[in-house]
Amino acid sequence: MLINLNIRNNPYWYSILLSEGFFINKSNKYDILITDFSNKIPKLYNEKSVIVADYKNIHLLSRDCKFIKSIEYDLNKSNFSYTIDKIDKVRIDIYQRDKVFFIIYNFDIKILSFNKQVKKKIILNYSDDDFCFETLNKVDKNNVRKILKSILKVSAKLLNKKLFYIWKYPAKFSNVFNFRIDVDPERNRSEDEAMYNIKQTLSSFEGYADFTTYAINFYRRHPDYEQFLNLFNNKYDLVSHNYLHINLPTYNHSYRNVLKSFNLLKKNNFITNIFVSPEYFYYDNLCNIVKKLNIKYTSSLGYDFKSFPYRTVHNNLLNSSIEIPYQPLVYNKFRQGKKNNITYYYEKLIKRIKNDESQTFLLYDHPNILSKHPYIIENILNLIDDLNLWKTTLTNFSNWLSFRESIIKSIKINLNDNLLKSDYLNTSNYNVSLAIEDCKENILFLKSLGNEVNLCNDTYEITNQNYVNDLDFNSIGDTISYRKEKNINFLNNYKHFKKILMGYYLYYKLKTNI
């Protein structure tokens, strides 16, 4: 199915299509046209097709467009979290004129650039009224992205065609697994206890170096940085977690804070272009800092969480870095739940991710937890043992994401012969798969991709996967709106205000070292 993108000054749909692996057709021929209409209906071809636009363009539809139906999603329109409120719904409306279908969605896609934080209410078990709380982005962007992907699936059903895209992982892996260990300063513990926790974690995870990543924070280790980094013996995947364990709202302070961590890693022969943002408060200056320092990959629960890696949008421009969100649920969040059995929650979470193609098995925790509860990783590994996951480091996964983007951008389609070509695949070190999604039957086929594929050829060897296509917004890990939810920042949140003051105090205390 050919997708054409014709949206002026709107990189949001492009970000979604790129992250989901869709190749965008550059000719005038299309099955799906995503457009802003530019104040007029595009020329309609005498072929069956779908035109997708937002509600601002509905007045441009001619009177002979027949209303077909509406599809509602059980979400609150203001921040796309699950709610029992029946008044303000997210919806798509479907119209038809001759052979052309029009899909109009009733929300502003620019909500994907939203970066305000709130204390989110996260579902652990909705039927038992079991929840936990965490500071996250107010907008559950994964829900937005799910609906946009759903629009493509609805389009495929209307046209009775299959979706084609580059699969999200190498070969025919069903998902990716990485466990990130955030080596934080642990300010409420003595340095001796903090170092003991780190060493115990390194010992417990020694056999898991192939799929663990350590996000390193430094200031508590001043001035013995080299001795501290020697603990990792150059055999682990290390990424930056800032120097001070905080993001600062002023550009110059934040820039030096981020730069210092990368310089310390580089000085000790740990080269990385991945930045794991500490805390959950995300400031606009980080976009500019990431670009200036040529950081290729970021991860921040304060900007996005639990959706598939993608390029974020800032000031209506596609960012230069790829956001790699991790699951926000960790041991201490499960401790907020009603059940004492932590394994119960991990079982529910892993089952959820298994049945939700928009999420990944990117989990994390801290040495203070892992050193005292080493059974956590053993339980997780037992739960994912038969799931055909690509177990890898964050660095390897980020390298794959860059390669996959290059493949998507290099693809050319010969419309006459229905041939998909990419010379870039000739230099591939990865086994790349083409995903063929039958949206009516809820079946996903994966085919190893060579440099030339006939999209109409059904005789090739394929692997089908059990595929859950239902949109479920009230399972473990989903967020739910509540009356007291409000935007918070360091001016109206006393706890964070204290952290900001401490951050600036430490910055100037250690200024000669930052």
Side-chain angles (χ1 to χ4, degrees):
M1 192 162 69
L2 301 177
I3 299 175
N4 200 328
L5 190 63
N6 179 26
I7 296 182
R8 297 181 179 180
N9 301 318
N10 188 335
Y12 302 95
W13 264 107
Y14 179 70
S15 170
I16 299 299
L17 294 173
L18 187 63
S19 69
E20 293 293 337
F22 290 100
F23 23 93
I24 300 170
N25 178 41
K26 295 180 176 62
S27 76
N28 290 326
K29 187 175 181 180
Y30 56 82
D31 295 305
I32 302 175
L33 174 64
I34 303 169
T35 182
D36 58 4
F37 286 169
S38 302
N39 295 319
K40 64 178 181 179
I41 296 286
K43 181 180 179 181
L44 303 181
Y45 298 95
N46 190 29
E47 295 181 19
K48 200 172 183 180
S49 58
V50 174
I51 295 178
V52 178
D54 71 12
Y55 64 98
K56 296 173 185 176
N57 297 285
I58 192 170
H59 66 282
L60 297 173
L61 296 183
S62 60
R63 292 183 178 180
D64 59 345
C65 286
K66 179 183 177 183
F67 174 76
I68 304 298
K69 66 176 179 177
S70 293
I71 299 176
E72 286 191 346
Y73 301 93
D74 200 5
L75 295 165
N76 178 283
K77 187 176 175 181
S78 62
N79 66 8
F80 282 73
S81 292
Y82 177 79
T83 178
I84 57 174
D85 182 10
K86 301 296 183 183
I87 299 174
D88 197 12
K89 290 294 179 183
V90 176
R91 187 184 76 250
I92 65 173
D93 297 322
I94 304 173
Y95 299 83
Q96 185 175 7
R97 178 186 173 190
D98 298 328
K99 295 182 179 180
V100 180
F101 294 93
F102 295 89
I103 296 181
I104 308 295
Y105 51 94
N106 74 331
F107 56 90
D108 192 343
I109 194 174
K110 291 184 178 181
I111 200 170
L112 283 169
S113 64
F114 198 87
N115 68 340
K116 302 298 181 183
Q117 287 76 42
V118 299
K119 193 172 185 180
K120 295 297 291 188
K121 189 175 183 179
I122 307 176
I123 297 170
L124 296 178
N125 190 325
Y126 185 78
S127 60
D128 290 343
D129 202 32
D130 194 6
F131 308 99
C132 65
F133 292 86
E134 180 60 281
T135 304
L136 299 170
N137 196 302
K138 183 174 183 178
V139 177
D140 192 333
K141 298 180 185 179
N142 191 35
N143 288 345
V144 187
R145 294 161 56 78
K146 277 184 175 181
I147 294 170
L148 295 176
K149 178 76 178 289
S150 173
I151 289 174
L152 300 179
K153 294 178 179 180
V154 170
S155 301
K157 290 180 181 179
L158 290 171
L159 299 176
N160 196 26
K161 292 191 175 184
K162 296 181 176 65
L163 292 176
F164 292 86
Y165 50 92
I166 300 300
W167 184 231
K168 298 178 179 181
Y169 314 104
K172 296 182 176 65
F173 288 112
S174 62
N175 210 313
V176 61
F177 175 78
N178 172 260
F179 200 93
R180 196 185 78 212
I181 302 168
D182 289 359
V183 185
D184 294 349
E186 297 192 37
R187 288 185 292 266
N188 296 325
R189 295 171 181 83
S190 69
E191 181 63 358
D192 287 342
E193 183 182 357
M195 290 302 293
Y196 174 80
N197 291 337
I198 295 170
K199 291 176 181 178
Q200 282 292 103
T201 301
L202 283 167
S203 176
S204 299
F205 281 68
E206 187 175 8
Y208 307 139
D210 289 347
F211 50 84
T212 54
T213 294
Y214 289 82
I216 304 297
N217 184 261
F218 283 100
Y219 95 85
R220 186 80 183 270
R221 274 80 230 189
H222 168 77
D224 301 321
Y225 307 120
E226 186 173 345
Q227 181 180 347
F228 167 62
L229 287 173
N230 282 341
L231 293 173
F232 300 92
N233 293 322
N234 289 312
K235 65 178 182 179
Y236 296 102
D237 184 38
L238 266 61
V239 300
S240 169
H241 197 37
N242 240 355
Y243 182 77
L244 298 175
H245 192 257
I246 195 168
N247 291 322
L248 296 169
T250 46
Y251 176 87
N252 288 334
H253 300 90
S254 193
Y255 173 77
R256 294 185 67 179
N257 189 25
V258 176
L259 177 63
K260 178 69 173 180
S261 64
F262 280 95
N263 284 345
L264 284 171
L265 288 168
K266 184 178 180 181
K267 182 179 179 181
N268 290 273
N269 298 316
F270 292 99
I271 309 300
T272 183
N273 56 6
I274 301 173
F275 174 65
V276 175
S277 180
E279 301 293 338
Y280 303 134
F281 287 82
Y282 194 91
Y283 301 104
D284 285 346
N285 62 45
L286 284 173
C287 289
N288 298 325
I289 291 169
V290 164
K291 185 176 182 180
K292 183 173 182 178
L293 295 178
N294 198 30
I295 297 170
K296 298 298 185 184
Y297 313 95
T298 60
S299 184
S300 171
L301 298 179
Y303 195 92
D304 189 28
F305 57 98
K306 75 183 174 65
S307 61
F308 185 74
Y310 72 109
R311 290 198 180 273
T312 58
V313 178
H314 177 64
N315 287 337
N316 223 36
L317 296 173
L318 205 65
N319 281 338
S320 58
S321 62
I322 296 177
E323 181 82 6
I324 305 180
Y326 275 69
Q327 288 292 327
L329 291 175
V330 295
Y331 179 89
N332 280 334
K333 300 301 123 183
F334 294 144
R335 285 282 301 274
Q336 295 177 18
K338 291 184 175 181
K339 296 184 180 294
N340 293 323
N341 185 358
I342 302 298
T343 301
Y344 163 83
Y345 290 119
Y346 274 113
E347 287 175 351
K348 284 180 65 68
L349 178 63
I350 287 171
K351 182 179 179 181
R352 167 66 191 281
I353 301 172
K354 175 185 175 182
N355 293 324
D356 189 335
E357 53 99 15
S358 74
Q359 299 193 36
T360 56
F361 290 91
L362 298 178
L363 310 177
Y364 81 103
D365 221 306
H366 305 83
N368 178 52
I369 298 298
L370 299 172
S371 62
K372 296 178 177 60
H373 308 283
Y375 70 88
I376 290 176
I377 188 65
E378 295 295 341
N379 282 354
I380 291 173
L381 292 176
N382 287 335
L383 291 168
I384 66 171
D385 184 54
D386 62 344
L387 296 186
N388 185 34
L389 305 183
W390 181 34
K391 298 177 183 177
T392 190
T393 64
L394 180 53
T395 296
N396 287 340
F397 183 43
S398 60
N399 289 338
W400 155 254
L401 292 174
S402 282
F403 176 80
R404 179 172 173 264
E405 269 200 6
S406 299
I407 291 292
I408 296 165
K409 292 177 181 178
S410 71
I411 283 176
K412 297 179 182 178
I413 299 176
N414 184 317
L415 299 176
N416 294 326
D417 300 326
N418 285 300
L419 288 180
L420 182 153
K421 295 184 178 182
S422 174
D423 294 335
Y424 203 86
L425 281 163
N426 291 331
T427 61
S428 170
N429 293 321
Y430 296 99
N431 186 340
V432 182
S433 290
L434 180 69
I436 305 101
E437 188 172 340
D438 187 331
C439 300
K440 283 191 174 182
E441 301 296 330
N442 289 346
I443 298 176
L444 179 70
F445 301 97
L446 298 179
K447 179 200 182 315
S448 294
L449 188 62
N451 66 323
E452 182 173 300
V453 175
N454 189 325
L455 297 176
C456 292
N457 185 359
D458 294 327
T459 62
Y460 44 68
E461 181 182 352
I462 55 179
T463 301
N464 63 351
Q465 298 192 352
N466 293 327
Y467 190 68
V468 178
N469 201 27
D470 297 328
L471 298 184
D472 186 3
F473 299 107
N474 64 339
S475 293
I476 185 170
D478 284 325
T479 56
I480 186 168
S481 298
Y482 61 102
R483 288 184 179 181
K484 293 183 180 180
E485 183 180 283
K486 64 178 182 178
N487 295 352
I488 57 176
N489 53 54
F490 67 92
L491 294 177
N492 67 7
N493 183 274
Y494 180 68
K495 182 179 179 181
H496 192 62
F497 182 70
K498 285 175 60 178
K499 288 185 178 182
I500 288 289
L501 289 180
M502 179 58 70
Y504 280 111
Y505 167 75
L506 290 171
Y507 180 93
Y508 282 104
K509 180 181 178 180
L510 303 170
K511 187 174 181 180
T512 56
N513 301 293
I514 297 182

